Amino acid sequence: MVTEIRPDTAAIRDAVESACRAPSLHNSQPWRWEWTGERLELYAVAERMLGHTDPSGRQLVLGCGAALHHARVALSAASWIPTVTRLPDPSRPDLLAVLDFDRPHTVDARDAALALAIGARHTDRRPFAAPTTLRESLVDLENAARREGASLSILDAEARSDLARASELSAAIREGDEAYRQELAWWTGRAEPGDTGVPASALLDDEAAGDIDVGRRFPTGAGTLDTAQPKADASALAVLSTRVDERIDWLRAGEAMSAVLLEATAAHLATCPLTHVTEIEASRGIVRTATARTGEVAGFPQVVIRLGARSARGLPTTSRRPVDEVFVDRSGRDG
Ligand SMILES: Cc1cc2nc3c(=O)[nH]c(=O)nc-3n(C[C@H](O)[C@H](O)[C@H](O)COP(=O)(O)O)c2cc1C
């Protein structure tokens, strides 16, 4: 009997399709995948960087890291655990990762549960009922972050009010930043099927958005998502941090963000990543100090994750670009 040592092109394409369900800043989907027939390569697409919101490209790399982790999860559930080499070529900074394969693995229940979570996860911007099951899943969430080289801290009440202050500060600074506002408007309310951007159906109407004290402010009138649940947001806030703030740390932080989001989804929690407070130095400093006070050595806050009880009322799925726009099959073998 011959045992395959690597997946075939169809399996790789399926994994890439799942990877593309990963979250990205304003659903910009800044990635490209290339399959050589032997290895899968992940590239960052600089043209999809949001130059005013994310001038360093940190969030672009975070999104690609999330896609990389989604791909790893999808491949595991399809019985493949790749060896990942991150940033393999200093002369090609856009090549973020190479995935090599040498043998199949036996799928377990955990692989299957995380893969299922890829389809069930949404960015939920509604107010949340308190995540009463968080206590039971907290160790899993912290371990998920740690395994990927990041740390996760749940903010206490005092730190949470600091975060609301950071959110307010970032909104005030952005109010006078016309280039930022134009960029946000361009990416908001415009996603058609098979497109990029944040659709109106995923954004709260203005009144409901005002009830969340830590959310990013989207353009007035952009949202149509209604909310029947608690008006007051009783979410918990988790801060995902790295010790260092280089490109490799952003990639690992993206993988950790995906790991935490999928773990939380599998535990029936609702999630919303937030970065408006980490993309401006002044508000990032507040988040950093507030996180450090929780006891962990905080390092650099990358993403805040709002966590709550999952509502019985589902959310529409935010669309993605067709997989063939982001997947290049160079194998010339069976594709
Ligand atoms: C790096 C990054 C930053 C994000 N920042 C925010 C944010 O500040 N506010 C927000 O509401 N959503 C934020 N999101 C969520 C994206 O808008 C969301 O992932 C995208 O629209 C796709 O929707 P989905 O997550 O429901 O699939 C962020 C996601 C990533 C990966």
Side-chain angles (χ1 to χ4, degrees):
M1 189 180 98
V2 180
T3 307
E4 288 292 329
I5 60 161
R6 65 180 68 93
D8 62 17
T9 300
I12 289 289
R13 192 179 178 284
D14 285 351
V16 167
E17 192 149 25
S18 294
C20 292
R21 290 305 319 159
S24 57
L25 177 64
H26 304 344
N27 201 18
S28 50
Q29 303 164 54
W31 44 65
R32 188 180 73 254
W33 298 88
E34 296 193 8
W35 170 238
T36 67
E38 293 188 352
R39 54 200 340 217
L40 181 62
E41 300 169 343
L42 168 62
Y43 292 87
V45 176
E47 299 78 50
R48 293 191 158 265
M49 187 171 112
L50 280 73
H52 294 290
T53 311
D54 179 35
S56 65
R58 183 173 62 87
Q59 299 190 66
L60 175 144
V61 177
L62 278 172
C64 290
L68 173 58
H69 181 264
H70 269 49
R72 288 168 46 205
V73 167
L75 286 163
S76 289
S79 78
W80 299 99
I81 294 191
T83 303
V84 181
T85 312
R86 296 170 182 82
L87 305 184
D89 184 351
S91 70
R92 292 225 54 191
D94 61 329
L95 177 55
L96 294 179
V98 173
L99 286 69
D100 284 294
F101 303 88
D102 58 13
R103 62 178 174 281
H105 106 113
T106 307
V107 180
D108 62 23
R110 207 191 125 64
D111 294 325
L114 284 186
L116 267 181
I118 289 179
R121 186 206 60 82
H122 300 285
T123 295
D124 190 343
R125 300 183 176 84
R126 299 173 293 187
F128 295 153
T132 47
T133 57
L134 181 58
R135 195 185 291 267
E136 294 135 47
S137 26
L138 189 54
V139 173
D140 290 338
L141 300 186
E142 287 170 343
N143 285 341
R146 200 168 299 124
R147 272 196 300 272
E148 304 298 333
S151 66
L152 190 78
S153 316
I154 303 287
L155 298 186
D156 62 18
E158 188 186 347
R160 193 199 160 96
S161 66
D162 288 344
L163 208 115
R165 191 160 55 82
S167 188
E168 201 53 50
L169 176 67
S170 90
I173 293 172
R174 291 307 201 186
E175 191 63 37
D177 185 344
E178 190 50 35
Y180 166 86
R181 282 150 50 93
Q182 277 183 18
E183 190 168 72
L184 181 61
W186 193 85
W187 286 96
T188 300
R190 60 186 288 282
E192 303 292 332
D195 201 355
T196 50
V198 184
S201 58
L203 293 170
L204 291 174
D205 62 46
D206 294 335
E207 194 192 332
D211 294 329
I212 313 260
D213 59 350
V214 294
R216 186 190 290 269
R217 291 203 192 141
F218 285 90
T220 308
T224 58
L225 176 61
D226 195 11
T227 163
Q229 56 247 328
K231 275 180 77 67
D233 180 39
S235 61
L237 296 181
V239 180
L240 189 83
S241 306
T242 51
R243 278 179 192 276
V244 187
D245 200 24
E246 303 288 342
R247 199 169 167 83
I248 183 70
D249 308 294
W250 304 342
L251 188 64
R252 295 298 278 142
E255 292 176 85
M257 171 179 65
S258 164
V260 171
L261 294 174
L262 294 183
E263 199 72 57
T265 303
H268 305 289
L269 294 168
T271 60
C272 181
L274 296 168
T275 48
H276 61 299
V277 283
T278 53
E279 68 199 13
I280 294 178
E281 273 317 307
S283 51
R284 196 182 195 192
I286 298 175
V287 180
R288 185 177 185 166
T289 309
T291 310
R293 269 210 320 273
T294 66
E296 286 241 14
V297 181
F300 295 87
Q302 302 290 349
V303 186
V304 175
I305 302 174
R306 203 163 61 83
L307 295 161
R310 173 122 39 100
S311 165
R313 291 184 72 191
L315 286 170
T317 297
T318 295
S319 69
R320 294 295 189 271
R321 301 167 69 202
V323 67
D324 290 325
E325 284 185 16
V326 298
F327 177 60
V328 181
D329 175 14
R330 301 187 345 231
S331 67
R333 204 175 48 170
D334 47 357

mmCIF file of all heavy atoms in Angstrom, residues 21 23-27 59 62-63 121-123 125 197-198 216 218 257 272-276 318 320, ligand 1:
data_model
loop_
_atom_site.group_PDB
_atom_site.id
_atom_site.type_symbol
_atom_site.label_atom_id
_atom_site.label_comp_id
_atom_site.label_asym_id
_atom_site.label_seq_id
_atom_site.Cartn_x
_atom_site.Cartn_y
_atom_site.Cartn_z
ATOM 1 N N ARG A 21 -11.727 32.064 5.092
ATOM 2 C CA ARG A 21 -12.790 32.470 6.033
ATOM 3 C C ARG A 21 -12.181 33.221 7.233
ATOM 4 O O ARG A 21 -12.920 33.701 8.108
ATOM 5 C CB ARG A 21 -13.560 31.242 6.578
ATOM 6 C CG ARG A 21 -14.462 30.487 5.610
ATOM 7 C CD ARG A 21 -15.506 31.299 4.906
ATOM 8 N NE ARG A 21 -16.152 32.291 5.761
ATOM 9 C CZ ARG A 21 -16.797 33.374 5.315
ATOM 10 N NH1 ARG A 21 -16.902 33.606 4.028
ATOM 11 N NH2 ARG A 21 -17.332 34.227 6.148
ATOM 12 N N PRO A 23 -10.654 36.085 9.626
ATOM 13 C CA PRO A 23 -10.939 37.514 9.728
ATOM 14 C C PRO A 23 -9.766 38.336 9.198
ATOM 15 O O PRO A 23 -8.626 37.881 9.241
ATOM 16 C CB PRO A 23 -11.103 37.723 11.240
ATOM 17 C CG PRO A 23 -10.256 36.657 11.861
ATOM 18 C CD PRO A 23 -10.336 35.480 10.925
ATOM 19 N N SER A 24 -10.067 39.526 8.684
ATOM 20 C CA SER A 24 -9.001 40.459 8.283
ATOM 21 C C SER A 24 -9.522 41.871 8.467
ATOM 22 O O SER A 24 -10.738 42.090 8.485
ATOM 23 C CB SER A 24 -8.589 40.222 6.827
ATOM 24 O OG SER A 24 -9.701 40.353 5.960
ATOM 25 N N LEU A 25 -8.610 42.810 8.596
ATOM 26 C CA LEU A 25 -9.003 44.200 8.827
ATOM 27 C C LEU A 25 -9.973 44.643 7.722
ATOM 28 O O LEU A 25 -9.625 44.624 6.540
ATOM 29 C CB LEU A 25 -7.761 45.103 8.838
ATOM 30 C CG LEU A 25 -8.035 46.602 9.011
ATOM 31 C CD1 LEU A 25 -8.670 46.909 10.365
ATOM 32 C CD2 LEU A 25 -6.738 47.395 8.847
ATOM 33 N N HIS A 26 -11.164 45.041 8.112
ATOM 34 C CA HIS A 26 -12.228 45.469 7.183
ATOM 35 C C HIS A 26 -12.453 44.466 6.042
ATOM 36 O O HIS A 26 -12.805 44.835 4.926
ATOM 37 C CB HIS A 26 -11.937 46.848 6.602
ATOM 38 C CG HIS A 26 -11.735 47.921 7.641
ATOM 39 N ND1 HIS A 26 -12.108 47.772 8.967
ATOM 40 C CD2 HIS A 26 -11.201 49.160 7.560
ATOM 41 C CE1 HIS A 26 -11.805 48.870 9.637
ATOM 42 N NE2 HIS A 26 -11.251 49.723 8.817
ATOM 43 N N ASN A 27 -12.219 43.208 6.354
ATOM 44 C CA ASN A 27 -12.410 42.139 5.367
ATOM 45 C C ASN A 27 -11.593 42.392 4.091
ATOM 46 O O ASN A 27 -12.056 42.139 2.979
ATOM 47 C CB ASN A 27 -13.906 41.996 5.034
ATOM 48 C CG ASN A 27 -14.245 40.640 4.443
ATOM 49 O OD1 ASN A 27 -13.491 39.673 4.558
ATOM 50 N ND2 ASN A 27 -15.383 40.563 3.771
ATOM 51 N N GLN A 59 -1.442 45.110 10.737
ATOM 52 C CA GLN A 59 -2.728 44.412 10.715
ATOM 53 C C GLN A 59 -2.889 43.546 9.461
ATOM 54 O O GLN A 59 -3.595 42.539 9.478
ATOM 55 C CB GLN A 59 -3.875 45.407 10.844
ATOM 56 C CG GLN A 59 -3.801 46.163 12.166
ATOM 57 C CD GLN A 59 -5.047 46.980 12.418
ATOM 58 O OE1 GLN A 59 -6.128 46.432 12.596
ATOM 59 N NE2 GLN A 59 -4.903 48.295 12.428
ATOM 60 N N LEU A 62 -1.263 40.493 10.546
ATOM 61 C CA LEU A 62 -2.142 39.802 11.518
ATOM 62 C C LEU A 62 -3.214 38.987 10.781
ATOM 63 O O LEU A 62 -3.492 37.830 11.122
ATOM 64 C CB LEU A 62 -2.855 40.831 12.409
ATOM 65 C CG LEU A 62 -2.101 41.409 13.607
ATOM 66 C CD1 LEU A 62 -2.897 42.548 14.224
ATOM 67 C CD2 LEU A 62 -1.863 40.325 14.650
ATOM 68 N N GLY A 63 -3.836 39.602 9.783
ATOM 69 C CA GLY A 63 -4.880 38.906 9.017
ATOM 70 C C GLY A 63 -4.315 37.684 8.306
ATOM 71 O O GLY A 63 -4.930 36.614 8.280
ATOM 72 N N ARG A 121 -17.743 30.775 13.056
ATOM 73 C CA ARG A 121 -17.251 32.049 13.606
ATOM 74 C C ARG A 121 -17.701 33.240 12.772
ATOM 75 O O ARG A 121 -17.704 33.213 11.559
ATOM 76 C CB ARG A 121 -15.712 32.035 13.645
ATOM 77 C CG ARG A 121 -15.102 33.255 14.323
ATOM 78 C CD ARG A 121 -13.703 33.531 13.822
ATOM 79 N NE ARG A 121 -13.694 33.789 12.391
ATOM 80 C CZ ARG A 121 -13.978 34.982 11.846
ATOM 81 N NH1 ARG A 121 -14.275 36.015 12.589
ATOM 82 N NH2 ARG A 121 -13.967 35.122 10.523
ATOM 83 N N HIS A 122 -18.129 34.297 13.434
ATOM 84 C CA HIS A 122 -18.430 35.578 12.774
ATOM 85 C C HIS A 122 -17.923 36.679 13.684
ATOM 86 O O HIS A 122 -17.908 36.530 14.903
ATOM 87 C CB HIS A 122 -19.935 35.794 12.622
ATOM 88 C CG HIS A 122 -20.613 34.754 11.809
ATOM 89 N ND1 HIS A 122 -20.508 34.699 10.444
ATOM 90 C CD2 HIS A 122 -21.418 33.730 12.170
ATOM 91 C CE1 HIS A 122 -21.212 33.666 10.000
ATOM 92 N NE2 HIS A 122 -21.777 33.061 11.030
ATOM 93 N N THR A 123 -17.584 37.812 13.117
ATOM 94 C CA THR A 123 -17.365 39.000 13.932
ATOM 95 C C THR A 123 -18.745 39.520 14.319
ATOM 96 O O THR A 123 -19.536 39.890 13.457
ATOM 97 C CB THR A 123 -16.580 40.064 13.129
ATOM 98 O OG1 THR A 123 -15.279 39.536 12.858
ATOM 99 C CG2 THR A 123 -16.470 41.364 13.917
ATOM 100 N N ARG A 125 -20.782 42.266 16.222
ATOM 101 C CA ARG A 125 -20.609 43.622 16.782
ATOM 102 C C ARG A 125 -21.751 44.027 17.695
ATOM 103 O O ARG A 125 -21.816 45.169 18.148
ATOM 104 C CB ARG A 125 -20.438 44.626 15.635
ATOM 105 C CG ARG A 125 -19.221 44.322 14.776
ATOM 106 C CD ARG A 125 -18.966 45.327 13.672
ATOM 107 N NE ARG A 125 -17.726 44.997 12.957
ATOM 108 C CZ ARG A 125 -17.656 44.110 11.960
ATOM 109 N NH1 ARG A 125 -18.733 43.471 11.541
ATOM 110 N NH2 ARG A 125 -16.486 43.859 11.378
ATOM 111 N N GLY A 197 -14.590 43.913 2.041
ATOM 112 C CA GLY A 197 -15.240 45.000 2.782
ATOM 113 C C GLY A 197 -16.235 44.491 3.811
ATOM 114 O O GLY A 197 -16.564 43.300 3.862
ATOM 115 N N VAL A 198 -16.691 45.420 4.662
ATOM 116 C CA VAL A 198 -17.632 45.068 5.732
ATOM 117 C C VAL A 198 -19.038 45.452 5.277
ATOM 118 O O VAL A 198 -19.302 46.636 5.039
ATOM 119 C CB VAL A 198 -17.289 45.822 7.042
ATOM 120 C CG1 VAL A 198 -18.212 45.378 8.165
ATOM 121 C CG2 VAL A 198 -15.829 45.601 7.429
ATOM 122 N N ARG A 216 -15.129 50.038 17.485
ATOM 123 C CA ARG A 216 -14.673 50.997 16.480
ATOM 124 C C ARG A 216 -15.895 51.729 15.940
ATOM 125 O O ARG A 216 -16.938 51.101 15.704
ATOM 126 C CB ARG A 216 -13.971 50.269 15.325
ATOM 127 C CG ARG A 216 -13.326 51.225 14.308
ATOM 128 C CD ARG A 216 -12.863 50.486 13.057
ATOM 129 N NE ARG A 216 -11.729 49.614 13.259
ATOM 130 C CZ ARG A 216 -10.445 49.971 13.116
ATOM 131 N NH1 ARG A 216 -10.155 51.210 12.770
ATOM 132 N NH2 ARG A 216 -9.471 49.089 13.301
ATOM 133 N N PHE A 218 -17.904 53.121 13.074
ATOM 134 C CA PHE A 218 -18.023 53.048 11.617
ATOM 135 C C PHE A 218 -18.823 54.266 11.143
ATOM 136 O O PHE A 218 -19.470 54.936 11.959
ATOM 137 C CB PHE A 218 -18.683 51.723 11.230
ATOM 138 C CG PHE A 218 -17.750 50.549 11.360
ATOM 139 C CD1 PHE A 218 -17.643 49.834 12.550
ATOM 140 C CD2 PHE A 218 -16.922 50.195 10.295
ATOM 141 C CE1 PHE A 218 -16.756 48.771 12.678
ATOM 142 C CE2 PHE A 218 -16.025 49.139 10.424
ATOM 143 C CZ PHE A 218 -15.948 48.426 11.603
ATOM 144 N N MET A 257 -4.508 34.892 17.380
ATOM 145 C CA MET A 257 -5.865 35.455 17.335
ATOM 146 C C MET A 257 -6.837 34.425 16.755
ATOM 147 O O MET A 257 -7.919 34.187 17.316
ATOM 148 C CB MET A 257 -5.864 36.722 16.463
ATOM 149 C CG MET A 257 -7.250 37.265 16.173
ATOM 150 S SD MET A 257 -7.186 38.772 15.168
ATOM 151 C CE MET A 257 -6.502 38.134 13.652
ATOM 152 N N CYS A 272 -15.597 39.399 18.917
ATOM 153 C CA CYS A 272 -15.388 40.551 18.027
ATOM 154 C C CYS A 272 -13.959 41.073 18.217
ATOM 155 O O CYS A 272 -13.623 41.600 19.281
ATOM 156 C CB CYS A 272 -16.396 41.659 18.347
ATOM 157 S SG CYS A 272 -16.217 43.100 17.268
ATOM 158 N N PRO A 273 -13.099 40.921 17.188
ATOM 159 C CA PRO A 273 -11.753 41.494 17.306
ATOM 160 C C PRO A 273 -11.819 43.014 17.162
ATOM 161 O O PRO A 273 -12.593 43.523 16.351
ATOM 162 C CB PRO A 273 -10.988 40.891 16.117
ATOM 163 C CG PRO A 273 -11.948 40.123 15.303
ATOM 164 C CD PRO A 273 -13.308 40.265 15.879
ATOM 165 N N LEU A 274 -10.993 43.718 17.909
ATOM 166 C CA LEU A 274 -10.967 45.193 17.861
ATOM 167 C C LEU A 274 -9.525 45.668 17.796
ATOM 168 O O LEU A 274 -8.699 45.224 18.603
ATOM 169 C CB LEU A 274 -11.622 45.771 19.115
ATOM 170 C CG LEU A 274 -13.107 45.475 19.303
ATOM 171 C CD1 LEU A 274 -13.543 45.857 20.702
ATOM 172 C CD2 LEU A 274 -13.936 46.224 18.255
ATOM 173 N N THR A 275 -9.251 46.571 16.867
ATOM 174 C CA THR A 275 -7.873 47.073 16.768
ATOM 175 C C THR A 275 -7.795 48.598 16.702
ATOM 176 O O THR A 275 -6.686 49.130 16.614
ATOM 177 C CB THR A 275 -7.171 46.511 15.511
ATOM 178 O OG1 THR A 275 -8.049 46.681 14.404
ATOM 179 C CG2 THR A 275 -6.802 45.063 15.674
ATOM 180 N N HIS A 276 -8.941 49.283 16.724
ATOM 181 C CA HIS A 276 -8.841 50.753 16.654
ATOM 182 C C HIS A 276 -8.042 51.285 17.839
ATOM 183 O O HIS A 276 -7.404 52.321 17.740
ATOM 184 C CB HIS A 276 -10.239 51.383 16.612
ATOM 185 C CG HIS A 276 -11.085 51.095 17.802
ATOM 186 N ND1 HIS A 276 -11.440 49.814 18.152
ATOM 187 C CD2 HIS A 276 -11.629 51.895 18.742
ATOM 188 C CE1 HIS A 276 -12.161 49.857 19.258
ATOM 189 N NE2 HIS A 276 -12.297 51.109 19.631
ATOM 190 N N THR A 318 -20.294 37.137 6.273
ATOM 191 C CA THR A 318 -19.617 38.170 5.467
ATOM 192 C C THR A 318 -18.880 37.490 4.317
ATOM 193 O O THR A 318 -18.193 36.501 4.519
ATOM 194 C CB THR A 318 -18.645 38.952 6.371
ATOM 195 O OG1 THR A 318 -19.419 39.647 7.352
ATOM 196 C CG2 THR A 318 -17.834 39.959 5.590
ATOM 197 N N ARG A 320 -16.555 36.514 0.928
ATOM 198 C CA ARG A 320 -15.129 36.460 0.621
ATOM 199 C C ARG A 320 -14.947 36.481 -0.889
ATOM 200 O O ARG A 320 -15.860 36.136 -1.634
ATOM 201 C CB ARG A 320 -14.501 35.165 1.168
ATOM 202 C CG ARG A 320 -14.486 35.063 2.682
ATOM 203 C CD ARG A 320 -13.595 36.116 3.329
ATOM 204 N NE ARG A 320 -13.409 35.889 4.758
ATOM 205 C CZ ARG A 320 -14.203 36.377 5.708
ATOM 206 N NH1 ARG A 320 -15.243 37.126 5.393
ATOM 207 N NH2 ARG A 320 -13.956 36.142 6.985
HETATM 208 C C1 LIG B 1 -6.450 42.652 12.240
HETATM 209 C C2 LIG B 1 -7.963 42.797 12.357
HETATM 210 C C3 LIG B 1 -8.507 43.968 12.846
HETATM 211 C C4 LIG B 1 -9.885 44.099 12.988
HETATM 212 N N1 LIG B 1 -10.381 45.244 13.559
HETATM 213 C C5 LIG B 1 -11.703 45.352 13.766
HETATM 214 C C6 LIG B 1 -12.220 46.485 14.475
HETATM 215 O O1 LIG B 1 -11.479 47.342 14.943
HETATM 216 N N2 LIG B 1 -13.570 46.569 14.644
HETATM 217 C C7 LIG B 1 -14.417 45.606 14.168
HETATM 218 O O2 LIG B 1 -15.614 45.742 14.366
HETATM 219 N N3 LIG B 1 -13.948 44.512 13.496
HETATM 220 C C8 LIG B 1 -12.623 44.364 13.306
HETATM 221 N N4 LIG B 1 -12.126 43.252 12.678
HETATM 222 C C9 LIG B 1 -13.046 42.246 12.132
HETATM 223 C C10 LIG B 1 -13.164 42.327 10.594
HETATM 224 O O3 LIG B 1 -13.882 43.474 10.204
HETATM 225 C C11 LIG B 1 -13.849 41.046 10.091
HETATM 226 O O4 LIG B 1 -12.992 39.972 10.342
HETATM 227 C C12 LIG B 1 -14.173 41.053 8.610
HETATM 228 O O5 LIG B 1 -15.104 42.047 8.300
HETATM 229 C C13 LIG B 1 -14.731 39.698 8.147
HETATM 230 O O6 LIG B 1 -15.898 39.359 8.864
HETATM 231 P P1 LIG B 1 -15.982 38.026 9.731
HETATM 232 O O7 LIG B 1 -14.921 38.108 10.775
HETATM 233 O O8 LIG B 1 -17.367 38.031 10.298
HETATM 234 O O9 LIG B 1 -15.751 36.860 8.809
HETATM 235 C C14 LIG B 1 -10.754 43.067 12.559
HETATM 236 C C15 LIG B 1 -10.192 41.887 12.063
HETATM 237 C C16 LIG B 1 -8.812 41.741 11.980
HETATM 238 C C17 LIG B 1 -8.230 40.443 11.520
#
